[in-house]
Amino acid sequence: MNTLLSFKHHKKSFALIILLVVAFFSSFPWSFYGMNWRDSALYFHLGNRLLHNDFPYRDYVFQVGFIPIIFDAFFQNILGQSYYASLFAAFIVKTTNLLVYYFIFRQFSSQVISVALCSGFALMNSSLVHWSTSYVYLFLSISALFIILGLNKLEKGSSTLSFLYIATSGFSLALVIAARQSNGTLCILVTLGVILIYSLRNPKKYLRTLTTPFITGLLLGLGALVLFLALNQALIPAFQQLFLDASEKKRVGGFAALIDVFLGGIKFDSSIKEVVKVVIIPILLSAIVFRLIQYPTKANSKYNVNLIGILLLPSLLLIGMSISLIGHLINTHNLPTIITSTALLFTYDLPSTFFSFALLGSCIFPKFSQKLLGVPEPIFPLLIALTLGSTWAMQMSWPGRAYLDSVMLMPLTIITILMSSKVPTYWKKSFCLLFLGITVIIFTVSQIGGFSNKGLYGDVRYSLDSPMTKFIQVPKDKAVAFSMLRQNIKPGESCFIYGSAPVLYTLLQCKNPTLVDTTYSDFYTLNDIKKAIASLRENPPEWIISTVGARPIDDTFDGSPDFYGGFNQAAPKELHGFIKEFIKDYQLVSTVRDLFPNGKDLKSKDLDDILDLRLYRYTK
């Protein structure tokens, strides 16, 4: 007996070790290639500011949650003020998320299948990026795990453990607000809606055992966030910047954003072809899948039509992944429309449409998903609510189809297969191994073919002249540009970055006289910019760095409604007009493009467009 228990224990430990090894080697050394000054390094900069007692919302303008900043500061405090501390934070979040998914998969499948699936997800996300959405996925997966555990315990009659698990699920969901407020808000609303529907349908069963613990945990989580912000004197500015200013920054109201989501991101002036591609085809394919699942299969039938219907959605998802890979092999930057459209159809439009109808059916008809797919209720509709809430929120944040996030749709599709009592174990194993095989091929090709970070940035053989970027390799133009900035700007001097490269404030150790760290048009309001302009006038910085992320200084406003991008127009227009006049008191010191007369010959694909960076010195 002891030998058997020991074997099971070692087997479980071995499975987790395999997962950790895959997570590590899928992340390093690929993540040491390149350093995006605009996005990837943002939380390193903000975490460093927190180490120096600058808190978001209170000491600078910010647009999303604070939890990634706290984690980054925590690891910088332990490992030192270096960019690899930020990468390590990203690795911890990635690995934790994989472990949570492992335990979710284990509720419905074997260790082998669970490890295979998690290994596939690790390979799909090989480059480490410490970003707010990573925490969204982590907290949502934790919430999903504990809702599954809680409802399973409830079915077994363990009411105390069930209460604790479901309360933990609600608490974790509340934390999504502190990662990305739009995802948290919509996930809470959709999930609460599903819970209340089930409680109204069967109050005796769900009101005390599901609704009460979930709302208790949710309120505790929200209360903890409010208390933390209040203790840091940031509650009121946080509420202003995260919620009240959101519609101005994004240039879209809540209702208009919801319409955008439910229309698949198409515009009102879209062509019939676009409507058919984005709306009609996903609805028709979803109807076909539902019809196949419901089709009466005869006992002596050669084909199980119901099984074909259930497996059709995940099969198309794998085809979409494969098409995307083939597209990258054909042309990395300019993929043919047919390839991108088909890949998006199978990996985003179809799954989101199918699960939207499945959620609607589960809320209207009792036992809908249980009868149709053989999945447990209310676990299945709650998992859909958590997934679609986040998916819709991401699309709402960028009007149109500029940002379609399928990260949560993929694991939901796989969990659906694993939960289904109508899918034989053989097919579950076959699908999971096929998924792993495809991800291995994608990972291998991306590393050999140059689609990883190293390939993304081009020729990365150079280092930045900073102790904070140890181990990081960058393209030659970025290394030379940073060296030029270091030679001119001394630590402690004042500077203002017009554009988006906030990490330079940290790497150069120069002080920003304003509360605006990045001039992406959706990061600030007109009022924020007016305050920033007043600060610049009162304390002109010694240096101005002009880079990508804002309208070039020399450009002239042409009256176009989207001249300053797809978001906020009034604030960047105000800043642009001011900078055009303000820069007259400055002398151009250097343009990176001038340092590379044959710039076109550079083997660089750096996302920061370093050749356009300019440095100005105050002369008045």
Side-chain angles (χ1 to χ4, degrees):
M1 184 67 180
N2 290 333
T3 305
L4 180 61
L5 290 174
S6 177
F7 174 76
K8 288 183 178 179
H9 175 73
H10 287 303
K11 186 179 178 182
K12 183 177 180 180
S13 300
F14 185 65
L16 294 178
I17 290 172
I18 291 176
L19 186 55
L20 290 174
V21 170
V22 173
F24 182 84
F25 285 104
S26 67
S27 303
F28 299 105
W30 330 111
S31 297
F32 289 136
Y33 297 124
M35 182 183 185
N36 187 320
W37 287 350
R38 285 189 284 175
D39 293 333
S40 304
L42 173 63
Y43 283 103
F44 166 64
H45 161 65
L46 298 180
N48 195 264
R49 288 199 66 168
L50 185 58
L51 282 183
H52 295 86
N53 300 315
D54 286 343
F55 196 85
Y57 324 117
R58 182 191 70 196
D59 299 310
Y60 57 88
V61 174
F62 197 48
Q63 67 156 3
V64 290
F66 60 86
I67 280 186
I69 301 173
I70 300 227
F71 270 78
D72 210 299
F74 173 77
F75 283 104
Q76 286 188 55
N77 189 48
I78 294 176
L79 301 176
Q81 299 179 42
S82 299
Y83 183 57
Y84 64 75
S86 187
L87 292 178
F88 188 76
F91 173 72
I92 293 297
V93 173
K94 170 184 175 177
T95 305
T96 306
N97 204 8
L98 289 173
L99 290 174
V100 172
Y101 271 122
Y102 168 81
F103 289 113
I104 290 177
F105 296 145
R106 281 292 289 124
Q107 304 306 308
F108 312 105
S109 63
S110 66
Q111 282 187 339
V112 174
I113 289 179
S114 301
V115 170
L117 288 171
C118 290
S119 298
F121 282 119
L123 296 173
M124 283 181 61
N125 302 282
S126 58
S127 298
L128 294 175
V129 179
H130 197 211
W131 200 243
S132 59
T133 50
S134 301
Y135 290 84
V136 171
Y137 307 141
L138 174 60
F139 293 138
L140 287 178
S141 63
I142 292 173
S143 183
L145 172 62
F146 280 98
I147 203 74
I148 293 170
L149 293 174
L151 289 172
N152 283 342
K153 287 295 181 182
L154 184 62
E155 291 297 321
K156 295 176 181 178
S158 181
S159 58
T160 303
L161 272 178
S162 173
F163 189 99
L164 291 174
Y165 286 151
I166 295 174
T168 302
S169 175
F171 188 91
S172 182
L173 181 57
L175 296 183
V176 179
I177 291 267
R180 208 168 180 280
Q181 71 277 16
S182 59
N183 296 64
T185 302
L186 204 54
C187 284
I188 288 172
L189 291 175
V190 178
T191 305
L192 278 180
V194 173
I195 288 175
L196 291 175
I197 286 173
Y198 272 83
S199 296
L200 290 172
R201 182 184 294 165
N202 192 343
K204 185 177 180 180
K205 182 176 182 180
Y206 292 118
L207 189 59
R208 184 178 61 84
T209 58
L210 175 59
T211 307
T212 300
F214 189 85
I215 292 180
T216 300
L218 183 65
L219 292 177
L220 285 174
L222 294 175
L225 297 179
V226 169
L227 179 62
F228 184 80
L229 288 171
L231 291 174
N232 284 279
Q233 301 176 326
L235 179 59
I236 294 176
F239 187 76
Q240 178 73 40
Q241 293 172 37
L242 294 177
F243 296 98
L244 300 183
D245 292 344
S247 60
E248 179 184 346
K249 292 175 181 177
K250 296 296 184 181
R251 199 174 58 154
V252 62
F255 179 74
L258 283 173
I259 295 296
D260 178 76
V261 166
F262 294 125
L263 289 178
I266 63 171
K267 300 177 181 179
F268 289 106
D269 59 351
S270 297
S271 65
I272 297 297
K273 180 181 178 181
E274 187 72 11
V275 173
V276 170
K277 180 176 68 176
V278 174
V279 179
I280 305 300
I281 292 179
I283 291 177
L284 290 176
L285 285 177
S286 297
I288 292 172
V289 172
F290 279 119
R291 180 56 185 151
L292 289 174
I293 295 173
Q294 293 177 310
Y295 191 83
T297 303
K298 297 179 181 180
N300 58 350
S301 176
K302 185 177 181 180
Y303 300 102
N304 188 335
V305 179
N306 305 143
L307 178 61
I308 293 173
I310 296 174
L311 292 177
L312 182 58
L313 181 66
S315 300
L316 291 176
L317 189 144
L318 291 181
I319 291 173
M321 290 170 53
S322 304
I323 290 174
S324 181
L325 171 62
I326 294 171
H328 280 295
L329 290 173
I330 295 173
N331 192 324
T332 311
H333 299 291
N334 301 306
L335 299 180
T337 304
I338 185 64
I339 291 179
T340 55
S341 296
T342 305
L344 277 176
L345 171 64
F346 291 161
T347 59
Y348 181 83
D349 292 313
L350 176 58
S352 60
T353 303
F354 175 85
F355 285 120
S356 296
F357 284 123
L359 179 62
L360 184 63
S362 298
C363 291
I364 296 176
F365 305 107
K367 303 295 182 181
F368 173 84
S369 53
Q370 198 165 7
K371 293 177 182 178
L372 188 70
L373 297 167
V375 293
E377 288 194 346
I379 289 177
F380 181 61
L382 285 173
L383 296 184
I384 296 178
L386 293 171
T387 300
L388 290 184
S390 179
T391 303
W392 291 340
M394 297 304 288
Q395 189 172 324
M396 285 173 64
S397 299
W398 286 268
R401 293 173 63 80
Y403 198 98
L404 303 179
D405 183 33
S406 62
V407 173
M408 295 290 293
L409 292 169
M410 199 167 294
L412 176 62
T413 305
I414 291 173
I415 292 171
T416 302
I417 297 175
L418 297 181
M419 287 194 300
S420 177
S421 60
K422 295 187 176 183
V423 179
T425 303
Y426 169 80
W427 285 106
K428 292 178 181 181
K429 289 182 178 179
S430 299
F431 174 82
C432 294
L433 292 176
L434 182 60
F435 171 77
L436 176 61
I438 290 176
T439 56
V440 168
I441 293 172
I442 290 176
F443 177 79
T444 304
V445 171
S446 67
Q447 303 307 326
I448 297 176
F451 305 128
S452 63
N453 261 17
K454 187 173 183 179
L456 183 67
Y457 285 93
D459 184 15
V460 282
R461 297 183 286 121
Y462 305 88
S463 300
L464 295 179
D465 183 21
S466 171
M468 291 185 175
T469 56
K470 189 177 181 181
F471 305 125
I472 305 301
Q473 294 179 288
V474 298
K476 184 177 181 180
D477 53 349
K478 180 163 281 186
V480 171
F482 184 75
S483 178
M484 178 270 292
L485 293 173
R486 282 287 298 262
Q487 290 171 10
N488 286 281
I489 303 175
K490 307 305 178 188
E493 292 183 336
S494 59
C495 67
F496 180 72
I497 299 173
Y498 177 70
S500 184
V503 72
L504 290 178
Y505 288 119
T506 293
L507 297 179
L508 297 170
Q509 299 178 47
C510 63
K511 300 187 179 301
N512 179 3
T514 78
L515 299 182
V516 177
D517 264 6
T518 181
T519 60
Y520 273 141
S521 61
D522 63 331
F523 266 63
Y524 52 83
T525 64
L526 181 58
N527 186 49
D528 295 330
I529 283 303
K530 286 182 176 179
K531 291 179 180 178
I533 289 173
S535 297
L536 291 172
R537 283 192 172 124
E538 184 178 350
N539 299 295
E542 297 165 84
W543 303 93
I544 288 182
I545 300 171
S546 173
T547 185
V548 295
R551 197 76 192 190
I553 296 175
D554 298 334
D555 285 4
T556 301
F557 180 62
D558 62 3
S560 168
D562 295 318
F563 185 77
Y564 294 100
F567 299 116
N568 181 8
Q569 296 293 300
K573 180 182 179 182
E574 184 82 7
L575 177 61
H576 183 221
F578 166 75
I579 289 291
K580 283 177 72 74
E581 291 299 316
F582 192 59
I583 206 70
K584 294 177 181 178
D585 295 334
Y586 288 75
Q587 177 186 3
L588 178 63
V589 175
S590 180
T591 300
V592 176
R593 191 174 297 277
D594 294 338
L595 302 176
F596 294 92
N598 299 318
K600 292 183 179 179
D601 298 331
L602 280 171
K603 296 180 180 179
S604 174
K605 295 176 280 185
D606 193 276
L607 302 177
D608 289 316
D609 297 326
I610 294 300
L611 292 179
D612 293 325
L613 185 145
R614 296 181 179 186
L615 177 65
Y616 298 86
R617 179 193 292 117
Y618 186 64
T619 57
K620 189 172 181 180

